[in-house]
């Protein structure tokens, strides 16, 4: 692929990410993507194929970026001591929160999925979300085995609780009376402290009761 063609493909990818995030797969046409990127429809099909091909490429890109971000944090995750476990969990929560707020398109895409958008592509969650969740679960599991967490807590549902809360603050039209859009710095820090406390109490982490 020539550098010019790579540049054209990148323009189309950016337009597709923007439109799929805003309107979903079913609410976006390939013609809209072509118009946004400044190409005719024939050129778009030549570069990226059909709408389904482009949508899958978008999903793959967003979740490969997500996986890389989680891997970078999990490589530093330590359950060597109770104190390091708490520190690692807090770092994981903060990184996930900041990453999600900085990359809202991924969340917006999955909000559309929850409303049965692109319903015929039923394998996407298993293909893209489950491997990331499994990586985090396997990284945190030793803390449970060492007794640093309440053994009665459902670890997978605990992680999903975090996901739901972070995605909620990302997608809320208004947050606690604030203007629409991402929370400001003060509210973000307040939210992260709340999330730390919630997980500390939920998992009954050492030294946090």
């Amino acid at each position: 692929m020539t550098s010019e063609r790579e540049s054209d493909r990148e323009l189309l990818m950016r337009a597709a990410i923007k439109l799929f995030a805003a309107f979903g797969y079913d609410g976006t046409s390939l013609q809209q993507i072509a118009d946004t990127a400044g190409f005719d429809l024939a050129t778009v099909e030549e570069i990226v194929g059909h709408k389904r091909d482009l949508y899958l490429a978008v999903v793959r890109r967003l979740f490969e970026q997500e996986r890389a971000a989680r891997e970078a944090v999990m490589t530093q995750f330590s359950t060597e001591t109770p104190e390091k476990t708490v520190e690692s969990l807090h770092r994981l929560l903060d990184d996930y929160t900041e990453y999600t707020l900085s990359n809202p398109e991924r969340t917006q895409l999955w909000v559309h999925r929850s409303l049965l958008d692109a319903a015929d592509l039923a394998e996407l969650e298993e293909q893209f979300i489950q491997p990331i969740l499994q990586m985090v679960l396997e990284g945190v599991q030793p803390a449970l085995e060492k007794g640093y967490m309440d053994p009665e807590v459902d670890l997978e549902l605990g992680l999903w609780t975090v996901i739901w809360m972070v995605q909620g603050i990302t997608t809320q039209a208004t947050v606690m009376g604030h203007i629409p859009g991402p929370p400001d710095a003060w509210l973000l820090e307040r939210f992260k402290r709340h999330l730390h406390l919630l997980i500390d109490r939920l998992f009954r982490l050492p030294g946090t009761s």
Side-chain angles (χ1 to χ4, degrees):
M1 184 180 293
T2 66
S3 58
E4 181 179 355
R5 183 51 58 93
E6 289 174 354
S7 178
D8 290 346
R9 180 178 175 82
E10 184 60 27
L11 284 173
L12 285 167
M13 285 291 289
R14 292 178 184 178
I17 289 171
K18 177 182 178 180
L19 292 172
F20 285 142
F23 305 113
Y25 176 80
D26 296 332
T28 302
S29 69
L30 200 58
Q31 184 66 62
Q32 288 174 304
I33 295 170
D35 292 342
T36 300
F39 295 99
D40 60 66
L41 189 58
T43 301
V44 172
E45 292 177 338
E46 179 184 348
I47 296 173
V48 297
H50 300 293
K51 186 175 79 165
R52 180 188 179 100
D53 302 319
L54 185 53
Y55 182 76
L56 289 173
V58 163
V59 171
R60 184 174 296 105
R61 171 180 290 194
L62 293 178
F63 280 89
E64 283 177 353
Q65 292 172 346
E66 164 79 4
R67 183 180 182 90
R70 296 288 74 74
E71 285 178 342
V73 177
M74 293 311 297
T75 55
Q76 303 176 44
F77 196 96
S78 173
T79 59
E80 184 178 349
T81 65
E83 294 76 18
K84 287 186 176 180
T85 298
V86 174
E87 180 182 341
S88 293
L89 278 169
H90 287 181
R91 188 185 307 116
L92 177 63
L93 293 173
D94 290 349
D95 180 80
Y96 178 69
T97 299
E98 292 167 4
Y99 181 89
T100 301
L101 288 169
S102 299
N103 298 271
E105 297 86 359
R106 175 184 55 82
T107 298
Q108 292 163 359
L109 207 68
W110 241 248
V111 168
H112 288 294
R113 290 283 297 169
S114 71
L115 299 174
L116 302 181
D117 184 53
D120 60 316
L121 298 172
E123 76 283 359
L124 296 185
E125 284 75 12
E126 181 178 354
Q127 183 178 354
F128 293 105
I129 293 181
Q130 287 301 323
I132 298 174
L133 182 63
Q134 189 61 35
M135 173 182 61
V136 175
L137 285 170
E138 290 175 359
V140 176
Q141 182 68 29
L144 192 62
E145 295 170 352
K146 291 179 180 181
Y148 300 158
M149 291 178 161
D150 185 346
E152 294 185 3
V153 170
D154 187 312
L155 184 56
E156 184 174 6
L157 284 180
L159 292 178
W160 273 110
T161 299
V162 171
I163 292 171
W164 295 327
M165 288 187 64
V166 174
Q167 291 188 350
I169 200 171
T170 303
T171 58
Q172 283 282 17
T174 58
V175 182
M176 297 171 60
H178 288 244
I179 62 173
D184 56 30
W186 174 81
L187 181 57
L188 175 58
E189 291 306 312
R190 182 181 174 187
F191 175 77
K192 289 195 291 188
R193 288 195 299 271
H194 173 69
L195 198 55
H196 288 186
L197 181 61
L198 178 73
I199 294 303
D200 292 349
R201 299 285 176 84
L202 177 63
F203 290 161
R204 296 184 183 178
L205 297 178
T208 61
S209 59

